[in-house]
Amino acid sequence: MTAVHVPGTPVIDDGRLVSTSPATGEEAGRFPVATVDDVARAVDRARVAADWWAGLGFTGRRERLLRWRALLARRIEELAQLVHVEGGKPVPDAIVEILTAIEHIDWAARNARRVLGPRRVRSRLILAEFTGHLEYQPYGVVGVIGPWNYPVFTPIGSAAYALAAGNAVVLKPSEYTPAVGQWLVDSFAEVVGEQPVLTAVHGLGDVGAALCRSGVGKLAFTGSTVTAKKVMAACAETLTPVLLEAGGKDAMIVDSDADLDAAAEACVWGALTNAGQTCIGIERVYAVDPVFDAFVGKVVAKAERLTVGAEGADIGPITMPSQLDVIRRHIDDAIGAGGRAVLGGPGAVQPPYVHPTVLVDVPESSVAVREETFGPTLTINRVRDADEAIRRANALSYGLGGSVFGRRRAVAIARRLRSGMASVNSTLTFAGMSTLPFGGVGDSGFGRIHGEDGLREFGRAKSITRRRARSLLPSMTFERTSTDVARLVKAAKLMYGRRR
Ligand code: NDP
């Protein structure tokens, strides 16, 4: 019997996790819920697969990962449709998400050898008789825990880099998007059928917790800050290293010399795409006084044209029904604290949808400014100048991404944002650039996916020294004489004793 439930809320029916569309209630898939033993077995199998996968070397893995990339590209519409049904995301947004993920697989596959492969490292005068060798060896099995809001992009952001580095991956998709997670695993198995190199375990949060305690070599988590702390605590029990990609409350700064049309267009996209359910979504804007009114007018004009609905609309449903209460609370708090809704407002929350809402003059103490809203809402506040904008943007404990619109000072402002990433004269674009690392500071987590740092995140640095010649100045031996030690003292003073 299928339990009665709010569309989109996952239920467990006869030991199976059933996921449904938040818009229509249509079933997207049902998957056996893993027990703690199931998780342990999956990790054990992955450990064997990891040895085989690592043994393929960079070339063998590259060839297979590129074939997986090609399969995803060929079936992009099929996957986008599943993302749409299961999470409610508009199909064009799903296409953009999948395309970005494909780009990351391509880059990771092509660059893993260059970044992680063995190389010689120069020695210096001290230990000049040795050569250094460096390589990054895989952890074995990497556990990947993913959220529902970008169910392709976020797990692949970790998994593609972990796989390229030579690890097997056990994925725990969000309970809201297990079908997409399983689709990724099944498509990978079509290309790499020999061993379970990429597998999934399904269930609720306790399955993620079991994965943290399963003895994986590393755990890559993407999700909320609250859960990130639980994941880190669970991993601490076994000193399992963690990578944490957590929540955000990203700010956009509009300076006096900004192109206001471009800023408004990027702001509306950055804040409202995926119904605002984006970790790096723009949730707060600080516009300097001379351009504030014109900028707000342009944002409202663009945002009020967006359509809301299940099919063919710009803004789909809120994926996680319980989030509707959070969004409503934030809008009410902003208005109760003295803010004004220049678009939308309390009536904008019409489950399972939220219509675009633009709030201005919201006190910085409001939860609408301080906490992650994860809805198609936005606060825009007036500031005196860029310095005040930076101060306010940096006032929160989150520090994921950010955006700056302007000309002369824009890059300097972007550098001063306390965040792991920033886009100048665009929003969210750093996520799609596979050559750049992605990650946050403070409550937004630590560690990096994407780019060279993202590859190194999934390899342990292995350092090897090798003797080439006899030591002229022996130091690391009991055979050294008092004359050797006197020479060492002299050398230390000569080499390092100067002030510069
Ligand atoms: P959650 O933190 O609720 O869940 C994330 C994942 O963790 C899910 O798979 C969840 O499983 C699992 N989980 C829950 N409890 C535990 C536990 N105790 N131990 C281990 N795993 C657990 O986040 P959401 O899925 O709601 O995703 C939204 C959040 O993700 C937002 O805060 C957003 O900002 C953030 N995010 C961050 C990104 C980044 O790159 N920094 C990118 C995308 C999103 P289950 O779903 O079954 O509960």
Tab-separated table of all heavy atoms in Angstrom, residues 329-363:
chain	number	residue	atom	x	y	z
A	329	ARG	N	8.159	32.107	6.587
A	329	ARG	CA	8.644	32.744	7.826
A	329	ARG	C	9.610	33.885	7.514
A	329	ARG	O	9.565	34.952	8.117
A	329	ARG	CB	9.319	31.679	8.703
A	329	ARG	CG	9.830	32.167	10.039
A	329	ARG	CD	10.151	31.004	10.978
A	329	ARG	NE	11.175	30.098	10.455
A	329	ARG	CZ	12.482	30.319	10.540
A	329	ARG	NH1	12.922	31.410	11.126
A	329	ARG	NH2	13.344	29.454	10.047
A	330	HIS	N	10.483	33.655	6.521
A	330	HIS	CA	11.450	34.699	6.171
A	330	HIS	C	10.753	35.922	5.581
A	330	HIS	O	11.111	37.060	5.894
A	330	HIS	CB	12.487	34.139	5.188
A	330	HIS	CG	13.502	33.257	5.849
A	330	HIS	ND1	14.719	32.969	5.290
A	330	HIS	CD2	13.490	32.609	7.043
A	330	HIS	CE1	15.411	32.180	6.106
A	330	HIS	NE2	14.678	31.939	7.167
A	331	ILE	N	9.774	35.696	4.714
A	331	ILE	CA	9.060	36.843	4.114
A	331	ILE	C	8.322	37.609	5.227
A	331	ILE	O	8.405	38.843	5.315
A	331	ILE	CB	8.067	36.355	3.033
A	331	ILE	CG1	8.818	35.725	1.851
A	331	ILE	CG2	7.203	37.519	2.551
A	331	ILE	CD1	7.910	35.072	0.798
A	332	ASP	N	7.629	36.870	6.096
A	332	ASP	CA	6.887	37.526	7.194
A	332	ASP	C	7.834	38.303	8.102
A	332	ASP	O	7.533	39.423	8.519
A	332	ASP	CB	6.140	36.465	8.028
A	332	ASP	CG	4.968	35.868	7.268
A	332	ASP	OD1	4.606	36.426	6.209
A	332	ASP	OD2	4.434	34.825	7.712
A	333	ASP	N	8.988	37.699	8.387
A	333	ASP	CA	9.931	38.357	9.300
A	333	ASP	C	10.474	39.644	8.673
A	333	ASP	O	10.597	40.666	9.342
A	333	ASP	CB	11.090	37.407	9.623
A	333	ASP	CG	11.949	37.936	10.753
A	333	ASP	OD1	11.501	37.849	11.915
A	333	ASP	OD2	13.048	38.470	10.477
A	334	ALA	N	10.772	39.579	7.376
A	334	ALA	CA	11.306	40.771	6.686
A	334	ALA	C	10.293	41.910	6.761
A	334	ALA	O	10.658	43.062	7.060
A	334	ALA	CB	11.621	40.419	5.234
A	335	ILE	N	9.031	41.593	6.520
A	335	ILE	CA	8.002	42.639	6.507
A	335	ILE	C	7.689	43.097	7.931
A	335	ILE	O	7.579	44.296	8.205
A	335	ILE	CB	6.767	42.131	5.740
A	335	ILE	CG1	7.161	42.050	4.251
A	335	ILE	CG2	5.564	43.044	5.940
A	335	ILE	CD1	6.184	41.362	3.373
A	336	GLY	N	7.644	42.140	8.852
A	336	GLY	CA	7.398	42.488	10.258
A	336	GLY	C	8.489	43.391	10.812
A	336	GLY	O	8.256	44.229	11.684
A	337	ALA	N	9.691	43.263	10.272
A	337	ALA	CA	10.828	44.043	10.789
A	337	ALA	C	10.928	45.405	10.106
A	337	ALA	O	11.843	46.181	10.392
A	337	ALA	CB	12.119	43.262	10.576
A	338	GLY	N	10.017	45.695	9.182
A	338	GLY	CA	10.023	47.026	8.549
A	338	GLY	C	10.388	47.016	7.082
A	338	GLY	O	10.438	48.068	6.437
A	339	GLY	N	10.657	45.827	6.516
A	339	GLY	CA	10.968	45.758	5.085
A	339	GLY	C	9.699	45.900	4.244
A	339	GLY	O	8.579	45.856	4.761
A	340	ARG	N	9.886	46.064	2.945
A	340	ARG	CA	8.733	46.202	2.033
A	340	ARG	C	8.872	45.198	0.907
A	340	ARG	O	9.983	44.984	0.392
A	340	ARG	CB	8.719	47.591	1.396
A	340	ARG	CG	8.261	48.707	2.303
A	340	ARG	CD	8.214	50.027	1.551
A	340	ARG	NE	9.522	50.451	1.062
A	340	ARG	CZ	9.814	50.716	-0.211
A	340	ARG	NH1	8.888	50.572	-1.141
A	340	ARG	NH2	11.031	51.082	-0.565
A	341	ALA	N	7.729	44.615	0.516
A	341	ALA	CA	7.752	43.734	-0.655
A	341	ALA	C	7.405	44.582	-1.873
A	341	ALA	O	6.296	45.113	-1.969
A	341	ALA	CB	6.754	42.606	-0.486
A	342	VAL	N	8.359	44.737	-2.785
A	342	VAL	CA	8.056	45.480	-4.023
A	342	VAL	C	7.604	44.515	-5.119
A	342	VAL	O	7.189	44.932	-6.198
A	342	VAL	CB	9.261	46.335	-4.497
A	342	VAL	CG1	9.450	47.535	-3.585
A	342	VAL	CG2	10.543	45.507	-4.562
A	343	LEU	N	7.706	43.242	-4.847
A	343	LEU	CA	7.133	42.208	-5.721
A	343	LEU	C	6.828	41.012	-4.827
A	343	LEU	O	7.627	40.658	-3.956
A	343	LEU	CB	8.132	41.801	-6.814
A	343	LEU	CG	7.627	40.739	-7.799
A	343	LEU	CD1	6.490	41.298	-8.666
A	343	LEU	CD2	8.758	40.234	-8.701
A	344	GLY	N	5.711	40.363	-5.050
A	344	GLY	CA	5.349	39.206	-4.237
A	344	GLY	C	5.039	39.628	-2.813
A	344	GLY	O	4.430	40.668	-2.580
A	345	GLY	N	5.468	38.812	-1.861
A	345	GLY	CA	5.165	39.093	-0.451
A	345	GLY	C	4.552	37.854	0.172
A	345	GLY	O	4.668	36.755	-0.366
A	346	PRO	N	3.883	38.009	1.318
A	346	PRO	CA	3.339	36.823	2.018
A	346	PRO	C	2.425	35.984	1.122
A	346	PRO	O	2.444	34.760	1.192
A	346	PRO	CB	2.565	37.444	3.188
A	346	PRO	CG	3.231	38.756	3.427
A	346	PRO	CD	3.704	39.248	2.088
A	347	GLY	N	1.651	36.626	0.260
A	347	GLY	CA	0.735	35.870	-0.606
A	347	GLY	C	1.434	35.102	-1.710
A	347	GLY	O	0.808	34.334	-2.454
A	348	ALA	N	2.755	35.288	-1.833
A	348	ALA	CA	3.496	34.627	-2.912
A	348	ALA	C	3.653	33.136	-2.663
A	348	ALA	O	3.915	32.369	-3.586
A	348	ALA	CB	4.875	35.268	-3.058
A	349	VAL	N	3.489	32.735	-1.394
A	349	VAL	CA	3.653	31.308	-1.067
A	349	VAL	C	2.322	30.591	-1.328
A	349	VAL	O	1.356	30.755	-0.597
A	349	VAL	CB	4.086	31.129	0.408
A	349	VAL	CG1	4.319	29.657	0.720
A	349	VAL	CG2	5.349	31.929	0.692
A	350	GLN	N	2.304	29.857	-2.443
A	350	GLN	CA	1.094	29.125	-2.839
A	350	GLN	C	1.499	27.681	-3.123
A	350	GLN	O	1.805	27.334	-4.256
A	350	GLN	CB	0.480	29.766	-4.084
A	350	GLN	CG	0.027	31.199	-3.854
A	350	GLN	CD	-0.324	31.924	-5.151
A	350	GLN	OE1	-0.575	31.304	-6.186
A	350	GLN	NE2	-0.327	33.239	-5.097
A	351	PRO	N	1.576	26.848	-2.067
A	351	PRO	CA	2.126	25.498	-2.210
A	351	PRO	C	1.588	24.748	-3.425
A	351	PRO	O	0.400	24.825	-3.693
A	351	PRO	CB	1.688	24.813	-0.913
A	351	PRO	CG	1.556	25.946	0.061
A	351	PRO	CD	1.062	27.104	-0.736
A	352	PRO	N	2.464	24.041	-4.175
A	352	PRO	CA	3.884	23.860	-3.895
A	352	PRO	C	4.768	24.953	-4.517
A	352	PRO	O	5.965	24.750	-4.639
A	352	PRO	CB	4.173	22.517	-4.559
A	352	PRO	CG	3.282	22.512	-5.772
A	352	PRO	CD	2.031	23.228	-5.349
A	353	TYR	N	4.170	26.097	-4.868
A	353	TYR	CA	4.938	27.137	-5.555
A	353	TYR	C	5.173	28.344	-4.649
A	353	TYR	O	4.416	28.581	-3.706
A	353	TYR	CB	4.202	27.600	-6.822
A	353	TYR	CG	3.962	26.459	-7.776
A	353	TYR	CD1	2.718	25.823	-7.840
A	353	TYR	CD2	4.994	25.976	-8.571
A	353	TYR	CE1	2.512	24.744	-8.687
A	353	TYR	CE2	4.793	24.895	-9.422
A	353	TYR	CZ	3.558	24.281	-9.468
A	353	TYR	OH	3.360	23.208	-10.291
A	354	VAL	N	6.205	29.090	-4.997
A	354	VAL	CA	6.401	30.415	-4.408
A	354	VAL	C	6.671	31.358	-5.574
A	354	VAL	O	7.548	31.094	-6.398
A	354	VAL	CB	7.583	30.439	-3.412
A	354	VAL	CG1	7.799	31.853	-2.889
A	354	VAL	CG2	7.348	29.476	-2.257
A	355	HIS	N	5.883	32.427	-5.641
A	355	HIS	CA	6.083	33.398	-6.718
A	355	HIS	C	7.238	34.334	-6.359
A	355	HIS	O	7.514	34.560	-5.179
A	355	HIS	CB	4.780	34.171	-6.946
A	355	HIS	CG	3.711	33.299	-7.552
A	355	HIS	ND1	3.340	33.388	-8.869
A	355	HIS	CD2	2.989	32.279	-7.017
A	355	HIS	CE1	2.422	32.471	-9.131
A	355	HIS	NE2	2.183	31.784	-8.020
A	356	PRO	N	7.912	34.866	-7.389
A	356	PRO	CA	9.071	35.718	-7.117
A	356	PRO	C	8.730	36.833	-6.136
A	356	PRO	O	7.689	37.481	-6.262
A	356	PRO	CB	9.410	36.285	-8.499
A	356	PRO	CG	8.874	35.298	-9.462
A	356	PRO	CD	7.650	34.716	-8.817
A	357	THR	N	9.614	37.015	-5.205
A	357	THR	CA	9.397	38.029	-4.171
A	357	THR	C	10.663	38.863	-3.995
A	357	THR	O	11.743	38.308	-3.794
A	357	THR	CB	9.009	37.338	-2.836
A	357	THR	OG1	7.707	36.757	-3.000
A	357	THR	CG2	8.984	38.309	-1.683
A	358	VAL	N	10.499	40.180	-4.117
A	358	VAL	CA	11.626	41.097	-3.941
A	358	VAL	C	11.324	41.986	-2.742
A	358	VAL	O	10.304	42.672	-2.702
A	358	VAL	CB	11.865	41.945	-5.207
A	358	VAL	CG1	13.038	42.900	-4.998
A	358	VAL	CG2	12.100	41.048	-6.428
A	359	LEU	N	12.211	41.932	-1.761
A	359	LEU	CA	12.024	42.688	-0.520
A	359	LEU	C	13.098	43.764	-0.421
A	359	LEU	O	14.269	43.485	-0.697
A	359	LEU	CB	12.138	41.738	0.678
A	359	LEU	CG	11.157	40.551	0.673
A	359	LEU	CD1	11.709	39.388	1.487
A	359	LEU	CD2	9.796	40.985	1.203
A	360	VAL	N	12.704	44.970	-0.054
A	360	VAL	CA	13.707	46.035	0.085
A	360	VAL	C	13.686	46.597	1.503
A	360	VAL	O	12.717	46.406	2.244
A	360	VAL	CB	13.462	47.187	-0.941
A	360	VAL	CG1	13.616	46.676	-2.361
A	360	VAL	CG2	12.102	47.827	-0.733
A	361	ASP	N	14.768	47.293	1.828
A	361	ASP	CA	14.902	47.958	3.128
A	361	ASP	C	14.671	46.994	4.296
A	361	ASP	O	14.016	47.326	5.286
A	361	ASP	CB	13.918	49.140	3.247
A	361	ASP	CG	14.136	50.162	2.143
A	361	ASP	OD1	15.272	50.251	1.642
A	361	ASP	OD2	13.171	50.855	1.780
A	362	VAL	N	15.180	45.796	4.179
A	362	VAL	CA	14.992	44.788	5.240
A	362	VAL	C	16.136	44.934	6.255
A	362	VAL	O	17.303	44.905	5.861
A	362	VAL	CB	15.009	43.360	4.646
A	362	VAL	CG1	14.737	42.329	5.742
A	362	VAL	CG2	13.998	43.230	3.517
A	363	PRO	N	15.806	45.099	7.539
A	363	PRO	CA	16.884	45.231	8.536
A	363	PRO	C	17.835	44.028	8.474
A	363	PRO	O	17.399	42.897	8.280
A	363	PRO	CB	16.135	45.275	9.865
A	363	PRO	CG	14.764	45.740	9.506
A	363	PRO	CD	14.480	45.225	8.129
